[in-house]
Amino acid sequence: MARDLTAEIEEEPLQGWLDEHMSLMKNVFNESIVRLDLLDQLDSAKYKDSPKAKLDGSASEKSNDCPDVYVDAPGVQSLEKLREEIHIQAFKSYYQACQKLSVSEGSGACSSGFQSGFKMSTRRASVMSICAKDVDLSLSKIDGGDEGMISFIKNMDPVCAKNDIPFSRLYGSNFTLKAKSLSAYIRDYTFPLFSGTSAKCNGRLVLGQQATTFQPQVRQDVYVGKWWRVNLLRSATGYTPPMKTYCDIPLSFQRGEVSFGVGYEPVFADISYAFTCALRRANLAKRWYFERPEPPRRERSLPWWDDMRNYIHGNFSLCLAETMWHLPAATSPYEKLDQLLIRTGHIEIRYVDGYVSLSSKCLKVYITSLDSLAKKCTLEPPHHTAIPFLETPYFFMDITIEWGCDSGNPMDHYIFALPVEVKPRDKVFDPFRSTSLSLKWSFSLKPSTAEPVESQHKTLADSNDSPTLYVGAHDLLWLTKWWNLFFLPPHKLRLFSRFPRFGVPRFIRSGNLPLDRVMTEQCIRFDATLLQINNMPLQANDPAKGLTLHFTKLRLEISSSRGKQIFTFDCKREPLDLVYMGIDMHLLKVFINNIPEQTNSKDAQVESKNLHTKVTDNAFSDKGKTKTRLTEKSRDDGFFLYSDYFTIRKQTPKADAARLSAWQEDGRKKSEKASFKSEFDGRDESDHAQSGSDEEGFNVVVADNCQRVFVHGLKILWNLENRAAILSWVGGLTQAFQPPKPSPSRQYTQRKILEKKQAIKEAEMSNDGAVNSSPSAAQSSDPPQQIKSSDPPSSSGSSRPEPTSSSETAMKPSNSRDSEEEGTSLFMVNIVQPQFNLHSEEANGRLLLAAGSGRVMVRSFHSVVQVGQEMFEKTIGASNVSIGETKPEMTWSRFEVSVLLEHVQAHVAPTDVDPGAGIQWLPKIHRRSSEVKRTGALLERVFMPCQMFFRITRHKGGNPELKLVYVFTAYLVMQVKPLKELAFNSPDITAGMTSRQFQVMMDVLTNLLLARTPRNRKSNLCYPLDDDDNDIAEESDAVVPDGVEEVELAKIHVEVKERERKILFDDIRILCTGSEVSGDPSQSPKSDDATSVVTGSKSMLVKRLKQELVNVLNDRKEAYCMLRSAMQKAAQVRLMEKEKNKSPSCAMRVSMRINKVVWSMLADGKAFSEAEINDIIYDFDRDYKDIGIAQLTTKLFVLRNGLANAKSDTVVAPWNPPSEWGKNAMLRVNARQGAPTDGNSVIESLLVDIYPLKIYLTEAMYRMMWGYFFPGDEQHPQKRQELFKVSTTAGTRRVKKGSSVTETTSPSNQSSKESTLAQKPELDRSTTTTTTTKPFSPKQVGVG
């Protein structure tokens, strides 16, 4: 037993003394620097305001040869004395702080020599210390003696049991350990490396040495103690089997505390060196006066990771009832506030050979992102409730470690020859040396409830019972910085042991591969059940506040590998690249949970949590709960997105498919086998046939580096609120993940350096051109044969009425392919049964767009383009230009996005229908059934199922500037604009809608889809303050031209003020942390008292700094105002220049093909008119000179009359159309747009060709059409809602006379009025009006 047990590793005196006294000097001299700055400010203020300074300013130009004028000024010598007094006072404070330190005697290892003069305090005496209190250790003999120990070893080590390994020596014992506390400290850092209370352990430890063959022996002197020398027989080869450790150690603590940061890594180099000295691997003293013979070694020594898997085996487990993990977010190991804090309940860590597992309960992760933001803009700490970043009831982590070596059996650590082998092995270490390492990580978050998953998603648990993530854009930014600091720290911190140090000899490196080179594969799997992600923005009025993402099941798989090869010690290793990524999301739900503001009271928090649960349950209730009363809340309140299944797959050809499949199969076996049912399982076989399956190729992974996305059952509600929330959320994520920008001063300096280099280069080029230009050079050779050229790759089917210009025919791809080439697939999206609910605010309805399936494909094409002779001649303005024998070439890339939608249809629905259950409204569409209109009570179909195809192509050169050398050897720069192509194709579009449905569709298009989104001026990464300048700061993000001198200088001025504010914040915090801060409140600092700056207390200095802070904040606001005005002026100038020189930024081609369009106009459930258009072809071509040519062709247009007793069945139709149109068209329009001049583009020609028409229009039809497109009283929302409710009933709309609903002028009312008015004799004269056109030949109308 031992009351207090301490084991220490002594600190190196020189290093420990410097580190400790550096912190003392830093604390003392920070105060002196503040006093000197305040004194300099007083000196400069007095000198500027004095009348002598004004005279000196005017007389300085006359008396430049009198440098001692200002030195003899009164007060200069007194200020110098005050500065000297500040330095003396600082040194006295430092001396007093040194006297207060209690000096440590040390171990006496450095009692003489250079380092003996450096004495450290007791706090810094050790670099590492292990302390234990009330230790009770008892040992007992293992039953069975050696046989019992061998059987124990075989239980711990399967390789020993399989090969029956003999042992020459065995030592072992059972032990029982009890301790009140056990702690490990590093220097005097803020948090302990490890600290545990109430330690208990009942384990077994066995040390065994493998039996081997007899080794050749040599005599060697071995020193024992300080003076004794013993001559012993030792192994001639130097290879002796070591004593290996076999143990079973279950260790438990009541409470544990762990800390680690990048600032700890340099200390580990000292600890490693101390252990190296303790193990006598370092020669600390020269005791041999002659060359000591070293045993011959034919192999390198093993690295430390191979030593660990060679020496230590068994089962290790660590259990803690409560833990706290400190992970600082700064390089300083003394950081207290800025950290990532993890709190857990019961945690258990297990380790066996090749496997590590961790399980925890009630895990909570806290981050200090809000505190770090507040630290930059305010002195007061933020008063907010501590909300965990991550909270989960259960957390599991598994790590599988797979080593690879030349022997092929990395688990066989018995590397020495067995006695049956008679002779030693030629190679001992090399077959066991690790050549590859595969790490397979598995993380899992699970809820606390034990109910089946099918019943869990019906009643969502609150944040305490399911994994919940509270994250904002500022949290992601903080996590990114923390991650980069941990995994990409400063170079000298991570590689501290490789740098030379005083008194530490440099060892010859073993020559082994580093661990990062040994690692050949790393797989990460993340699983989460009932995961909920809550968006937590900083601004209280953020539209995205309450945005929630819920996943019934989420799985993320990432694999990195070096490729498929057999790894050896000397083989070439490819970089560790990402080879596979897979994301699975089951029952994804996104909604906006509008919760009231949280308060600090517990009652309010409980009420908020209950409200959160109610809103969640109401938003996603089952099918049987969709019927609600009119007084209840609307069912789509907060709903945004729902998806049955969402997957993302990406795999590269570099991946090892066999190992990847085995890892995925192992993950499926370990995961819970739970079936996830959709809320809409009532679909018939036809619906399942439409859904994506592996046979159809929707969910198949191909190793072609293409990212494939599969979405099933997607439903989206898009309204103004959701649009604002999603745009705000996406904007915050974009700001969080965008790379940091250099400071304005750095940008300004870099731009000036670049401009200087360009000026020098242009001067050299002009000089070279003047020297080389001569008349003989221009006539030196005849122009070579013209290079063949053609157009860059374009979409098939596009026609031009006029021949293209020569500038477009000057380039040709050298490796031309047909238009059906596959290219490189970058992205592919397969969607099954998507549904988009577009909410109309003014029309108070909803347009529902749905499709049976859809596919989005993104591809890229690359080719080499040759620049022809015409391009040189056009650009130079001369003919017979020689371009030499070398053919100029440039890379030409094409980026293509294709969208294919099948069974596209549109419906109009009321606003009180649950959008989450919309897929069941759609009539079942069988693949072989005829497309017949079937309208239910809730939906009114406006578009019949059809197919649509979109394609967007962007052509762009590899280099924006192509430099060509012509006969005068000067440089010619040719700008190549990108080319954009838009294509749309649909075989048949059939629509039928009422006036009400038409208004809903137009309102959705104008006010929701095509309307400009409002700009959010508030930044998502700034701490919200009442007097903040976020609105001014956001002006710096406005789009202004780069290189404007006034704007850049204004930004630099703002940067200076921001730096001054930060310095003042840091100085005030440093002075406030001292012991002597509180002073006499009656004392107030005098602005012109220099003596108080020297002798004043810290409280006086803090008051002065706060006064200075007010001035700096005011200057900062003025700087932002100057920046805003400068940017506004620059933006106005830029806008005027763009308007003056406005021209398209790219060439463009637009192609549209529609075979047939049918539009039925409905009233009273019947079509009163029908428009039919056949073979619509529209082509638009704008070349690189901004000359545009457009062509529109319509083969047939007919407007039919569906009114009862109509004299003519058509309103507009062609006059005596031929049976076969052939090349004729009913409408043909050709237009030509000239190049822009002064920012305006003029239509040079317009040709319109119209086939003879026959128009028959009646007043009844006119009124019906007018009421259809321009309803009068239907603009009132309440009347519009009542009309919509009545229009969904079967039969003709009837309204009682005593009803409170006012009769409106709908198309049905118009028809009833016409029938009534037709009976009156005074209105009988306005019957019909017929207009016909006589046959005539088509005429062309030209506008030039």
Side-chain angles (χ1 to χ4, degrees), residues 34 379 1062-1073 1077 1101-1107 1109:
V34 172
L379 292 172
K1062 183 178 180 300
I1063 292 174
L1064 285 175
F1065 280 150
D1066 294 339
D1067 291 341
I1068 293 174
R1069 290 191 186 97
I1070 291 173
L1071 293 178
C1072 291
T1073 55
V1077 178
L1101 293 179
V1102 170
K1103 291 181 180 180
R1104 284 183 175 272
L1105 291 179
K1106 288 184 177 180
Q1107 293 178 357
L1109 179 61

PDB file of all heavy atoms in Angstrom, residues 34 379 1062-1073 1077 1101-1107 1109:
ATOM      1  N   VAL A  34       1.693  48.555 -22.821  1.00  0.00           N
ATOM      2  CA  VAL A  34       0.490  49.392 -22.804  1.00  0.00           C
ATOM      3  C   VAL A  34       0.823  50.779 -22.269  1.00  0.00           C
ATOM      4  O   VAL A  34       0.368  51.800 -22.819  1.00  0.00           O
ATOM      5  CB  VAL A  34      -0.603  48.719 -21.966  1.00  0.00           C
ATOM      6  CG1 VAL A  34      -1.793  49.655 -21.782  1.00  0.00           C
ATOM      7  CG2 VAL A  34      -1.067  47.426 -22.618  1.00  0.00           C
ATOM      8  N   LEU A 379     -16.142  42.893 -25.231  1.00  0.00           N
ATOM      9  CA  LEU A 379     -15.394  42.500 -24.030  1.00  0.00           C
ATOM     10  C   LEU A 379     -16.214  41.622 -23.104  1.00  0.00           C
ATOM     11  O   LEU A 379     -15.651  40.867 -22.309  1.00  0.00           O
ATOM     12  CB  LEU A 379     -14.935  43.755 -23.268  1.00  0.00           C
ATOM     13  CG  LEU A 379     -13.882  44.624 -23.960  1.00  0.00           C
ATOM     14  CD1 LEU A 379     -13.676  45.902 -23.177  1.00  0.00           C
ATOM     15  CD2 LEU A 379     -12.572  43.861 -24.095  1.00  0.00           C
ATOM     16  N   LYS A1062      -8.819  45.004 -32.266  1.00  0.00           N
ATOM     17  CA  LYS A1062      -8.419  43.701 -31.734  1.00  0.00           C
ATOM     18  C   LYS A1062      -7.294  43.848 -30.708  1.00  0.00           C
ATOM     19  O   LYS A1062      -7.292  43.181 -29.669  1.00  0.00           O
ATOM     20  CB  LYS A1062      -7.973  42.794 -32.887  1.00  0.00           C
ATOM     21  CG  LYS A1062      -7.587  41.380 -32.463  1.00  0.00           C
ATOM     22  CD  LYS A1062      -7.204  40.555 -33.664  1.00  0.00           C
ATOM     23  CE  LYS A1062      -6.827  39.134 -33.233  1.00  0.00           C
ATOM     24  NZ  LYS A1062      -5.680  39.115 -32.299  1.00  0.00           N
ATOM     25  N   ILE A1063      -6.342  44.723 -30.997  1.00  0.00           N
ATOM     26  CA  ILE A1063      -5.230  44.934 -30.051  1.00  0.00           C
ATOM     27  C   ILE A1063      -5.746  45.496 -28.740  1.00  0.00           C
ATOM     28  O   ILE A1063      -5.309  45.090 -27.647  1.00  0.00           O
ATOM     29  CB  ILE A1063      -4.166  45.841 -30.690  1.00  0.00           C
ATOM     30  CG1 ILE A1063      -3.475  45.116 -31.854  1.00  0.00           C
ATOM     31  CG2 ILE A1063      -3.137  46.273 -29.651  1.00  0.00           C
ATOM     32  CD1 ILE A1063      -2.511  45.996 -32.626  1.00  0.00           C
ATOM     33  N   LEU A1064      -6.679  46.451 -28.816  1.00  0.00           N
ATOM     34  CA  LEU A1064      -7.232  47.017 -27.589  1.00  0.00           C
ATOM     35  C   LEU A1064      -8.006  45.965 -26.800  1.00  0.00           C
ATOM     36  O   LEU A1064      -7.919  45.916 -25.562  1.00  0.00           O
ATOM     37  CB  LEU A1064      -8.128  48.203 -27.922  1.00  0.00           C
ATOM     38  CG  LEU A1064      -7.410  49.494 -28.324  1.00  0.00           C
ATOM     39  CD1 LEU A1064      -8.421  50.543 -28.743  1.00  0.00           C
ATOM     40  CD2 LEU A1064      -6.565  50.010 -27.170  1.00  0.00           C
ATOM     41  N   PHE A1065      -8.773  45.126 -27.476  1.00  0.00           N
ATOM     42  CA  PHE A1065      -9.486  44.051 -26.787  1.00  0.00           C
ATOM     43  C   PHE A1065      -8.514  43.128 -26.062  1.00  0.00           C
ATOM     44  O   PHE A1065      -8.717  42.765 -24.891  1.00  0.00           O
ATOM     45  CB  PHE A1065     -10.327  43.250 -27.780  1.00  0.00           C
ATOM     46  CG  PHE A1065     -11.621  43.913 -28.137  1.00  0.00           C
ATOM     47  CD1 PHE A1065     -12.200  43.720 -29.390  1.00  0.00           C
ATOM     48  CD2 PHE A1065     -12.275  44.741 -27.245  1.00  0.00           C
ATOM     49  CE1 PHE A1065     -13.395  44.329 -29.725  1.00  0.00           C
ATOM     50  CE2 PHE A1065     -13.470  45.369 -27.571  1.00  0.00           C
ATOM     51  CZ  PHE A1065     -14.022  45.162 -28.816  1.00  0.00           C
ATOM     52  N   ASP A1066      -7.438  42.762 -26.727  1.00  0.00           N
ATOM     53  CA  ASP A1066      -6.461  41.860 -26.113  1.00  0.00           C
ATOM     54  C   ASP A1066      -5.768  42.521 -24.925  1.00  0.00           C
ATOM     55  O   ASP A1066      -5.553  41.881 -23.879  1.00  0.00           O
ATOM     56  CB  ASP A1066      -5.426  41.417 -27.147  1.00  0.00           C
ATOM     57  CG  ASP A1066      -6.044  40.563 -28.246  1.00  0.00           C
ATOM     58  OD1 ASP A1066      -7.135  40.004 -28.006  1.00  0.00           O
ATOM     59  OD2 ASP A1066      -5.447  40.467 -29.335  1.00  0.00           O
ATOM     60  N   ASP A1067      -5.420  43.809 -25.059  1.00  0.00           N
ATOM     61  CA  ASP A1067      -4.746  44.505 -23.945  1.00  0.00           C
ATOM     62  C   ASP A1067      -5.660  44.622 -22.732  1.00  0.00           C
ATOM     63  O   ASP A1067      -5.217  44.418 -21.591  1.00  0.00           O
ATOM     64  CB  ASP A1067      -4.287  45.890 -24.407  1.00  0.00           C
ATOM     65  CG  ASP A1067      -3.166  45.816 -25.415  1.00  0.00           C
ATOM     66  OD1 ASP A1067      -2.506  44.759 -25.494  1.00  0.00           O
ATOM     67  OD2 ASP A1067      -2.958  46.808 -26.154  1.00  0.00           O
ATOM     68  N   ILE A1068      -6.919  44.917 -22.963  1.00  0.00           N
ATOM     69  CA  ILE A1068      -7.846  45.044 -21.826  1.00  0.00           C
ATOM     70  C   ILE A1068      -8.040  43.698 -21.144  1.00  0.00           C
ATOM     71  O   ILE A1068      -8.075  43.606 -19.901  1.00  0.00           O
ATOM     72  CB  ILE A1068      -9.189  45.621 -22.317  1.00  0.00           C
ATOM     73  CG1 ILE A1068      -8.995  47.074 -22.783  1.00  0.00           C
ATOM     74  CG2 ILE A1068     -10.241  45.569 -21.215  1.00  0.00           C
ATOM     75  CD1 ILE A1068     -10.230  47.683 -23.407  1.00  0.00           C
ATOM     76  N   ARG A1069      -8.145  42.633 -21.910  1.00  0.00           N
ATOM     77  CA  ARG A1069      -8.312  41.310 -21.294  1.00  0.00           C
ATOM     78  C   ARG A1069      -7.076  40.906 -20.504  1.00  0.00           C
ATOM     79  O   ARG A1069      -7.190  40.310 -19.431  1.00  0.00           O
ATOM     80  CB  ARG A1069      -8.610  40.268 -22.384  1.00  0.00           C
ATOM     81  CG  ARG A1069      -9.984  40.412 -23.018  1.00  0.00           C
ATOM     82  CD  ARG A1069     -10.308  39.200 -23.879  1.00  0.00           C
ATOM     83  NE  ARG A1069     -11.557  39.396 -24.601  1.00  0.00           N
ATOM     84  CZ  ARG A1069     -11.646  39.819 -25.849  1.00  0.00           C
ATOM     85  NH1 ARG A1069     -10.536  40.091 -26.526  1.00  0.00           N
ATOM     86  NH2 ARG A1069     -12.816  39.975 -26.425  1.00  0.00           N
ATOM     87  N   ILE A1070      -5.883  41.212 -21.036  1.00  0.00           N
ATOM     88  CA  ILE A1070      -4.650  40.850 -20.322  1.00  0.00           C
ATOM     89  C   ILE A1070      -4.544  41.607 -19.008  1.00  0.00           C
ATOM     90  O   ILE A1070      -4.180  41.042 -17.964  1.00  0.00           O
ATOM     91  CB  ILE A1070      -3.429  41.119 -21.224  1.00  0.00           C
ATOM     92  CG1 ILE A1070      -3.407  40.133 -22.387  1.00  0.00           C
ATOM     93  CG2 ILE A1070      -2.140  41.001 -20.413  1.00  0.00           C
ATOM     94  CD1 ILE A1070      -2.341  40.429 -23.414  1.00  0.00           C
ATOM     95  N   LEU A1071      -4.875  42.909 -19.028  1.00  0.00           N
ATOM     96  CA  LEU A1071      -4.795  43.689 -17.787  1.00  0.00           C
ATOM     97  C   LEU A1071      -5.870  43.291 -16.797  1.00  0.00           C
ATOM     98  O   LEU A1071      -5.668  43.377 -15.582  1.00  0.00           O
ATOM     99  CB  LEU A1071      -4.908  45.179 -18.114  1.00  0.00           C
ATOM    100  CG  LEU A1071      -3.744  45.787 -18.908  1.00  0.00           C
ATOM    101  CD1 LEU A1071      -4.021  47.245 -19.206  1.00  0.00           C
ATOM    102  CD2 LEU A1071      -2.431  45.642 -18.142  1.00  0.00           C
ATOM    103  N   CYS A1072      -7.023  42.852 -17.282  1.00  0.00           N
ATOM    104  CA  CYS A1072      -8.093  42.463 -16.375  1.00  0.00           C
ATOM    105  C   CYS A1072      -7.853  41.105 -15.729  1.00  0.00           C
ATOM    106  O   CYS A1072      -8.477  40.796 -14.711  1.00  0.00           O
ATOM    107  CB  CYS A1072      -9.429  42.431 -17.108  1.00  0.00           C
ATOM    108  SG  CYS A1072     -10.040  44.069 -17.594  1.00  0.00           S
ATOM    109  N   THR A1073      -6.973  40.290 -16.288  1.00  0.00           N
ATOM    110  CA  THR A1073      -6.705  38.982 -15.688  1.00  0.00           C
ATOM    111  C   THR A1073      -5.725  39.056 -14.538  1.00  0.00           C
ATOM    112  O   THR A1073      -5.516  38.071 -13.839  1.00  0.00           O
ATOM    113  CB  THR A1073      -6.145  38.020 -16.742  1.00  0.00           C
ATOM    114  OG1 THR A1073      -4.991  38.610 -17.366  1.00  0.00           O
ATOM    115  CG2 THR A1073      -7.189  37.707 -17.794  1.00  0.00           C
ATOM    116  N   VAL A1077      -6.408  44.557 -10.235  1.00  0.00           N
ATOM    117  CA  VAL A1077      -7.234  45.225 -11.227  1.00  0.00           C
ATOM    118  C   VAL A1077      -8.193  46.200 -10.580  1.00  0.00           C
ATOM    119  O   VAL A1077      -8.425  47.300 -11.060  1.00  0.00           O
ATOM    120  CB  VAL A1077      -8.005  44.183 -12.067  1.00  0.00           C
ATOM    121  CG1 VAL A1077      -8.894  44.874 -13.069  1.00  0.00           C
ATOM    122  CG2 VAL A1077      -7.017  43.260 -12.762  1.00  0.00           C
ATOM    123  N   LEU A1101      -5.297  52.053 -16.053  1.00  0.00           N
ATOM    124  CA  LEU A1101      -4.941  51.742 -17.445  1.00  0.00           C
ATOM    125  C   LEU A1101      -6.137  51.173 -18.200  1.00  0.00           C
ATOM    126  O   LEU A1101      -6.343  51.479 -19.382  1.00  0.00           O
ATOM    127  CB  LEU A1101      -3.779  50.749 -17.468  1.00  0.00           C
ATOM    128  CG  LEU A1101      -2.429  51.248 -16.948  1.00  0.00           C
ATOM    129  CD1 LEU A1101      -1.411  50.124 -17.024  1.00  0.00           C
ATOM    130  CD2 LEU A1101      -1.946  52.439 -17.749  1.00  0.00           C
ATOM    131  N   VAL A1102      -6.925  50.333 -17.543  1.00  0.00           N
ATOM    132  CA  VAL A1102      -8.092  49.748 -18.195  1.00  0.00           C
ATOM    133  C   VAL A1102      -9.089  50.835 -18.583  1.00  0.00           C
ATOM    134  O   VAL A1102      -9.681  50.811 -19.666  1.00  0.00           O
ATOM    135  CB  VAL A1102      -8.737  48.690 -17.286  1.00  0.00           C
ATOM    136  CG1 VAL A1102     -10.091  48.250 -17.834  1.00  0.00           C
ATOM    137  CG2 VAL A1102      -7.824  47.493 -17.129  1.00  0.00           C
ATOM    138  N   LYS A1103      -9.280  51.823 -17.699  1.00  0.00           N
ATOM    139  CA  LYS A1103     -10.181  52.923 -18.016  1.00  0.00           C
ATOM    140  C   LYS A1103      -9.680  53.731 -19.206  1.00  0.00           C
ATOM    141  O   LYS A1103     -10.456  54.132 -20.078  1.00  0.00           O
ATOM    142  CB  LYS A1103     -10.351  53.831 -16.801  1.00  0.00           C
ATOM    143  CG  LYS A1103     -11.122  53.181 -15.659  1.00  0.00           C
ATOM    144  CD  LYS A1103     -11.286  54.135 -14.498  1.00  0.00           C
ATOM    145  CE  LYS A1103     -12.062  53.481 -13.347  1.00  0.00           C
ATOM    146  NZ  LYS A1103     -12.232  54.393 -12.196  1.00  0.00           N
ATOM    147  N   ARG A1104      -8.368  53.959 -19.253  1.00  0.00           N
ATOM    148  CA  ARG A1104      -7.818  54.688 -20.398  1.00  0.00           C
ATOM    149  C   ARG A1104      -8.002  53.894 -21.698  1.00  0.00           C
ATOM    150  O   ARG A1104      -8.341  54.455 -22.746  1.00  0.00           O
ATOM    151  CB  ARG A1104      -6.329  54.976 -20.166  1.00  0.00           C
ATOM    152  CG  ARG A1104      -6.053  56.096 -19.190  1.00  0.00           C
ATOM    153  CD  ARG A1104      -4.565  56.353 -19.092  1.00  0.00           C
ATOM    154  NE  ARG A1104      -4.270  57.498 -18.246  1.00  0.00           N
ATOM    155  CZ  ARG A1104      -4.213  58.754 -18.670  1.00  0.00           C
ATOM    156  NH1 ARG A1104      -4.453  59.014 -19.950  1.00  0.00           N
ATOM    157  NH2 ARG A1104      -3.942  59.743 -17.849  1.00  0.00           N
ATOM    158  N   LEU A1105      -7.770  52.604 -21.619  1.00  0.00           N
ATOM    159  CA  LEU A1105      -7.920  51.784 -22.820  1.00  0.00           C
ATOM    160  C   LEU A1105      -9.376  51.737 -23.279  1.00  0.00           C
ATOM    161  O   LEU A1105      -9.655  51.706 -24.486  1.00  0.00           O
ATOM    162  CB  LEU A1105      -7.401  50.373 -22.552  1.00  0.00           C
ATOM    163  CG  LEU A1105      -5.884  50.246 -22.371  1.00  0.00           C
ATOM    164  CD1 LEU A1105      -5.514  48.798 -22.095  1.00  0.00           C
ATOM    165  CD2 LEU A1105      -5.134  50.747 -23.594  1.00  0.00           C
ATOM    166  N   LYS A1106     -10.319  51.722 -22.358  1.00  0.00           N
ATOM    167  CA  LYS A1106     -11.729  51.712 -22.751  1.00  0.00           C
ATOM    168  C   LYS A1106     -12.127  53.034 -23.392  1.00  0.00           C
ATOM    169  O   LYS A1106     -12.952  53.055 -24.321  1.00  0.00           O
ATOM    170  CB  LYS A1106     -12.604  51.422 -21.536  1.00  0.00           C
ATOM    171  CG  LYS A1106     -12.512  49.982 -21.052  1.00  0.00           C
ATOM    172  CD  LYS A1106     -13.465  49.688 -19.909  1.00  0.00           C
ATOM    173  CE  LYS A1106     -13.405  48.223 -19.508  1.00  0.00           C
ATOM    174  NZ  LYS A1106     -14.322  47.902 -18.378  1.00  0.00           N
ATOM    175  N   GLN A1107     -11.558  54.143 -22.905  1.00  0.00           N
ATOM    176  CA  GLN A1107     -11.805  55.416 -23.577  1.00  0.00           C
ATOM    177  C   GLN A1107     -11.231  55.411 -24.988  1.00  0.00           C
ATOM    178  O   GLN A1107     -11.858  55.907 -25.932  1.00  0.00           O
ATOM    179  CB  GLN A1107     -11.195  56.560 -22.765  1.00  0.00           C
ATOM    180  CG  GLN A1107     -11.875  56.801 -21.427  1.00  0.00           C
ATOM    181  CD  GLN A1107     -11.204  57.904 -20.640  1.00  0.00           C
ATOM    182  OE1 GLN A1107     -10.186  58.456 -21.069  1.00  0.00           O
ATOM    183  NE2 GLN A1107     -11.754  58.216 -19.459  1.00  0.00           N
ATOM    184  N   LEU A1109     -10.851  52.791 -26.748  1.00  0.00           N
ATOM    185  CA  LEU A1109     -11.657  51.856 -27.524  1.00  0.00           C
ATOM    186  C   LEU A1109     -12.879  52.546 -28.127  1.00  0.00           C
ATOM    187  O   LEU A1109     -13.276  52.246 -29.266  1.00  0.00           O
ATOM    188  CB  LEU A1109     -12.084  50.683 -26.639  1.00  0.00           C
ATOM    189  CG  LEU A1109     -12.956  49.614 -27.291  1.00  0.00           C
ATOM    190  CD1 LEU A1109     -12.228  48.952 -28.453  1.00  0.00           C
ATOM    191  CD2 LEU A1109     -13.376  48.570 -26.263  1.00  0.00           C
TER     192      LEU A1109
END
